[in-house]
């Protein structure tokens, strides 16, 4: 049932800028768009590939990137998930100018496609990470809220219901009734999975009513699936009824993947007709796998023209020698092996390039945190001292120097116990106190940090320091408060100041962008409330084992 998320966010993000780019005179790109809009996706893929080759000749990186992203979306939609990821990763090489609004929109769509493909491959951690990357580039508020829904849906699948509810509650703020029903359905599911005594039926039926009113057939299918799951242990007859409705809707919308999901439920809930339903399941599943394999091979032939032509020649030769089964088998193996080797070689190269880029980003982030923020913290202390202590300042600068040398060895601070964590956080916040700015720490006790891995603490420490540095540079605040709370295995940090606030566009620059990626790395979240009447509020949350 994730297809709707992909289609809605993909089209919403991609269509918002496409008119700006149509001005480029590329006949193949225009043909591809016409085929895509008429649902002739195979032809669309073919023409997007031709358009990509046209753009390569003119060194039009944006045209190449947009063509590849469209190809990746078609591959994922057809069930070629690895192929879709491969095309998306290749597209990223051509989408470097991230300040350009069209490129940012394209990157948002591209990362969403990767996240969705990993979701179908059941690599939920990677799916979560790439949804967060997509969120970094989304500028439209409704698209952001839809992305929150996707993140919440992944968290429900991972069993992190409390964090899922936070994202899904934000997703309810959408102005789209279709997206609202999606978030409402997922939120109700997260609530009853988190609390077996919770009654989700009013919300589930409300979501279904909205979808029926909008004639949202794919959405109705999602509601039927959720209701069937809910009643599975409470009322099997109702559960079976919703599973049958799901199957009927999936047949009407020609969605074999949803038909399979419905039949899996029906087989269990209706043992009297087990054989009939199982035969349907086998037949539909076989046809779906055949169709997906056909799509994979077809896309591979289009992408790699030389290999496709060679494969076609081998197949024609084999067909002329049908009586020689051994030769036919050998030809197919040779063609398949050649394609597999080429795709594997390209994938390994892309993975290596991605690894190098991630290493560079990691080192850059460390230099920013350790050297830049470290020196700024020492400068702040010197500025706040009534009498300048040269020896103490030199000691602290020498510590920053030693830390910068440790970067090349990828060393972590040896923090030790929760008491060390508590003291380091308290000292950090206190170091930014001066005659103009009072800093307060509430609830920073040993219990807050119990069970937190050292690597996770390092990320939290750097996030807090980044907030303090930005406060000192921009906010003009006279009062800054950090409040620490822990609810079982979830820690929340509430930051408030009475400064001038911070514009939304500043949040997506420099260090503050790092805070979002840092929290994502430890499966946490940071939410900036820029709509307060005065000052700034930031909520940080993360799990503790």
């Amino acid at each position: 049932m994730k297809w709707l998320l992909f289609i809605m966010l993909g089209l919403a993000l991609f269509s918002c800028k496409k008119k700006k780019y149509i001005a480029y005179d590329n006949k193949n790109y225009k043909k591809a768009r016409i085929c895509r809009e008429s649902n002739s996706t195979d032809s669309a893929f073919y023409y997007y590939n031709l358009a990509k080759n046209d753009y390569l000749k003119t060194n039009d990186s944006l045209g190449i990137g947009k063509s590849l992203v469209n190809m990746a979306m078609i591959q994922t939609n057809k069930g070629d998930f690895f192929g879709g990821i491969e095309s998306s990763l290749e597209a990223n090489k051509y989408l470097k100018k991230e300040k350009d609004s069209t490129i940012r929109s394209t990157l948002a769509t591209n990362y969403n496609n990767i996240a969705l493909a990993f979701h179908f491959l059941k690599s939920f951690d990677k799916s979560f990470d790439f949804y967060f990357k997509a969120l970094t580039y989304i500028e439209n508020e409704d698209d952001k809220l839809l992305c929150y829904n996707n993140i919440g849906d992944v968290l429900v699948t991972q069993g992190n219901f409390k964090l899922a509810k936070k994202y899904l509650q934000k997703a309810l703020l959408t102005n789209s009734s279709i997206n609202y029903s999606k978030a409402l359905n997922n939120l109700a599911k997260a609530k009853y999975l988190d609390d077996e005594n919770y009654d989700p039926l009013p919300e589930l039926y409300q979501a279904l009513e909205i979808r029926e009113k909008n004639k949202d057939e794919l959405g109705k299918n999602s509601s039927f699936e959720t209701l069937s799951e809910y009643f599975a242990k409470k009322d099997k007859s109702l559960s079976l009824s919703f599973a049958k409705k799901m199957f009927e809707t999936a047949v009407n919308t020609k969605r074999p993947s949803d038909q399979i999901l419905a039949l899996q439920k029906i087989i269990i809930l209706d043992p009297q007709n087990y054989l009939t339903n199982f035969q349907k399941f086998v037949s539909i599943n076989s046809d779906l796998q055949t169709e997906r394999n056909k799509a994979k091979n077809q896309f591979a032939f289009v992408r790699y023209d030389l290999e496709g032509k060679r494969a076609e020649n081998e197949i024609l030769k084999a067909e002329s020698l049908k009586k020689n089964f051994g030769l036919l088998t050998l030809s197919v193996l040779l063609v398949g092996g050649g394609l597999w080797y080429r795709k594997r070689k390209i994938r390994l190269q892309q993975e290596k390039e991605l690894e190098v880029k991630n290493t560079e980003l990691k080192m850059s982030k460390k230099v920013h945190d350790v050297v830049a923020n470290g020196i700024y913290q020492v400068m702040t202390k010197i500025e706040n001292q009534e009498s300048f202590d040269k020896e103490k300042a030199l000691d602290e600068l020498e510590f920053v120097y030693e830390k910068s040398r440790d970067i090349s060895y990828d060393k972590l601070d040896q923090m030790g116990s929760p008491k060390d964590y508590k003291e380091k956080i308290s000292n950090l916040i206190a170091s930014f106190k001066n005659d103009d700015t009072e800093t307060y720490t509430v609830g920073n006790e040993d219990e807050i940090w119990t069970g937190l891995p050292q690597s996770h603490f390092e990320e939290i420490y750097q996030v807090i320091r980044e907030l303090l540095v930005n406060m000192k540079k921009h906010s003009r605040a006279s009062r800054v408060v950090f409040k620490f709370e822990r609810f079982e295995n979830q820690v929340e940090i509430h930051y408030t100041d009475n400064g001038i606030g911070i514009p939304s566009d500043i949040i997506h620059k420099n260090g503050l962008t790092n805070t979002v990626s840092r929290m994502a790395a430890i499966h946490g979240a940071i939410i900036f409330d820029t709509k307060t009447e005065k000052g700034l509020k930031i909520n940080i949350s993360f799990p503790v084992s």
Side-chain angles (χ1 to χ4, degrees):
M1 297 306 299
K2 317 300 176 191
W3 295 100
L4 185 59
L5 308 182
F6 170 71
I7 294 169
M8 291 301 296
L9 184 57
L11 292 181
L13 296 178
F14 217 74
S15 61
C16 64
K17 299 295 180 183
K18 67 185 180 184
K19 290 185 178 179
K20 180 180 178 181
Y21 200 73
I22 292 174
Y24 288 78
D25 187 15
N26 188 304
K27 294 180 180 179
N28 287 318
Y29 193 87
K30 291 179 181 178
K31 287 180 180 178
R33 286 186 57 253
I34 292 171
C35 292
R36 186 192 69 191
E37 290 169 1
S38 63
N39 206 30
S40 300
T41 53
D42 293 345
S43 297
F45 186 90
Y46 173 79
Y47 284 114
Y48 276 127
N49 189 55
L50 291 180
K52 176 205 69 177
N53 294 336
D54 293 340
Y55 288 128
L56 281 168
K57 294 175 184 177
T58 58
N59 293 320
D60 185 345
S61 59
L62 177 56
I64 299 168
K66 286 177 73 70
S67 298
L68 284 167
V69 172
N70 274 289
M71 293 165 69
M73 292 167 63
I74 292 171
Q75 287 174 284
T76 301
N77 191 41
K78 285 283 191 176
D80 183 10
F81 305 124
F82 284 113
I85 293 170
E86 182 180 329
S87 295
S88 283
L89 291 175
E90 185 178 353
N92 281 342
K93 295 190 297 184
Y94 300 96
L95 302 171
K96 301 294 186 182
K97 299 178 181 179
E98 297 185 1
K99 292 183 179 180
D100 182 271
S101 60
T102 304
I103 288 181
R104 290 182 64 81
S105 173
T106 307
L107 282 169
T109 303
N110 202 34
Y111 282 124
N112 182 75
N113 179 65
I114 298 174
L116 184 73
F118 274 124
H119 201 147
F120 279 106
L121 293 170
K122 300 189 184 302
S123 297
F124 300 117
D125 288 342
K126 290 183 178 179
S127 179
F128 181 89
D129 292 340
F130 279 103
Y131 275 133
F132 258 101
K133 287 187 177 181
L135 190 62
T136 304
Y137 296 100
I138 299 174
E139 297 177 353
N140 178 275
E141 188 63 26
D142 269 348
D143 292 338
K144 285 183 181 180
L145 298 178
L146 182 56
C147 195
Y148 286 145
N149 176 78
N150 294 357
I151 292 171
D153 186 56
V154 173
L155 289 168
V156 170
T157 306
Q158 290 178 309
N160 192 345
F161 305 123
K162 286 184 172 57
L163 188 56
K165 287 189 287 186
K166 290 187 177 182
Y167 281 103
L168 292 170
Q169 284 167 346
K170 287 182 68 67
L172 287 177
L173 299 176
T174 180
N175 293 320
S176 165
S177 61
I178 291 178
N179 294 344
Y180 179 83
S181 64
K182 187 195 302 16
L184 183 64
N185 186 78
N186 288 336
L187 178 59
K189 183 177 180 180
K191 287 180 178 179
Y192 84 73
L193 288 174
D194 190 40
D195 180 3
E196 61 181 10
N197 295 320
Y198 181 79
D199 179 13
L201 291 179
E203 293 162 298
L204 292 178
Y205 285 129
Q206 183 186 355
L208 177 58
E209 182 181 353
I210 294 171
R211 287 164 162 173
E212 288 176 337
K213 183 178 179 181
N214 288 328
K215 296 182 180 179
D216 178 8
E217 296 301 312
L218 295 178
K220 284 167 57 179
N221 227 6
S222 174
S223 286
F224 293 147
E225 180 186 15
T226 306
L227 286 163
S228 179
E229 288 178 4
Y230 175 74
F231 284 114
K233 293 183 180 180
K234 301 178 182 295
D235 189 331
K236 290 189 176 181
S237 62
L238 263 177
S239 179
L240 177 61
S241 174
F242 282 116
K244 288 181 177 179
K245 288 181 179 180
M246 179 185 175
F247 179 75
E248 181 181 352
T249 306
V251 170
N252 292 336
T253 54
K254 297 180 180 180
R255 302 200 57 84
S257 57
D258 289 342
Q259 294 172 33
I260 290 171
L261 286 175
L263 283 171
Q264 286 175 332
K265 300 177 185 299
I266 293 171
I267 288 170
I268 296 172
L269 295 167
D270 188 11
Q272 292 182 346
N273 297 304
Y274 170 85
L275 182 59
T276 301
N277 292 323
F278 183 74
Q279 288 173 339
K280 285 183 184 178
F281 171 83
V282 171
S283 176
I284 296 171
N285 186 59
S286 177
D287 290 343
L288 178 62
Q289 295 306 318
T290 300
E291 186 65 25
R292 285 181 174 177
N293 289 333
K294 179 182 176 182
K296 290 178 186 178
N297 293 333
Q298 182 178 356
F299 293 144
F301 289 147
V302 173
R303 283 297 306 273
Y304 308 110
D305 297 327
L306 289 177
E307 288 81 355
K309 291 176 182 178
R310 290 174 183 172
E312 184 179 358
N313 290 334
E314 292 296 334
I315 292 172
L316 289 173
K317 291 177 183 178
E319 287 179 349
S320 69
L321 299 171
K322 288 181 179 180
K323 295 181 180 180
N324 192 337
F325 180 76
L327 180 59
L328 175 61
T329 303
L330 178 61
S331 299
V332 173
L333 288 174
L334 286 173
V335 173
L339 290 174
W340 174 83
Y341 174 77
R342 178 66 182 272
K343 291 186 71 174
R344 180 177 180 273
K345 182 179 178 181
I346 292 174
R347 184 179 292 116
L348 290 174
Q349 181 180 351
Q350 290 171 341
E351 289 176 352
K352 185 176 180 181
E353 290 175 357
L354 185 61
E355 181 181 354
V356 170
K357 182 178 180 181
N358 288 337
T359 301
E360 291 174 349
L361 290 172
K362 179 181 178 183
M363 295 299 291
S364 174
K365 190 162 61 174
K366 279 194 173 185
V367 169
H368 175 272
D369 293 334
V370 174
V371 180
N373 281 350
I375 291 176
Y376 191 87
Q377 185 177 350
V378 174
M379 291 168 59
T380 300
K381 287 184 179 180
I382 294 174
E383 180 184 359
N384 298 337
Q385 289 177 354
E386 293 182 0
S387 60
F388 179 72
D389 188 336
K390 177 180 178 182
E391 293 300 323
K392 185 175 181 181
L394 288 174
D395 287 342
E396 294 189 0
L397 286 173
E398 183 177 358
F399 174 74
V400 174
Y401 168 71
E402 292 296 332
K403 289 282 292 175
S404 67
R405 290 186 61 191
D406 288 344
I407 292 176
S408 62
Y409 301 103
D410 200 22
K411 291 182 179 179
L412 286 173
D413 286 343
Q414 300 302 316
M415 297 299 176
S417 66
K419 183 177 181 181
D420 297 325
Y421 296 167
K422 169 189 171 183
E423 291 180 357
K424 184 156 187 179
I425 293 295
S426 295
N427 292 337
L428 171 63
I429 297 173
S431 69
F432 283 80
K433 177 179 180 181
N434 57 39
D435 293 339
D436 298 321
T437 305
E438 289 289 340
T439 61
Y440 301 92
T441 306
V442 180
N444 180 29
E445 303 298 337
D446 295 345
E447 293 77 10
I448 294 291
W449 309 105
T450 301
L452 183 68
Q454 177 181 321
S455 59
H456 288 201
F457 174 79
E458 181 67 18
E459 300 290 349
I460 300 300
Y461 181 86
Q462 299 298 348
V463 168
I464 292 176
R465 183 159 70 175
E466 189 63 54
L467 296 180
L468 287 164
V469 168
N470 276 276
M471 176 276 296
K472 182 70 167 58
K473 289 181 178 179
H474 305 295
S475 74
R476 304 178 196 169
S478 62
R479 184 173 184 271
V480 179
V481 179
F482 282 86
K483 182 179 180 182
F484 297 78
E485 295 181 306
R486 177 163 176 166
F487 305 96
E488 297 181 353
N489 293 329
Q490 187 79 8
V491 172
E492 295 190 2
I493 303 174
H494 306 282
Y495 169 94
T496 58
D497 70 37
N498 63 348
I500 62 174
I502 181 169
S504 298
D505 58 339
I506 296 296
I507 293 175
H508 297 291
K509 295 180 181 178
N510 303 329
L512 290 181
T513 299
N514 288 340
T515 62
V516 176
S517 59
R518 285 188 181 281
M519 296 310 303
I522 61 173
H523 303 295
I526 179 168
I527 299 175
F528 296 83
D529 182 0
T530 61
K531 297 181 180 180
T532 55
E533 293 182 1
K534 185 177 181 182
L536 176 64
K537 292 183 180 180
I538 302 173
N539 294 322
I540 301 171
S541 60
F542 54 92
V544 181
S545 60

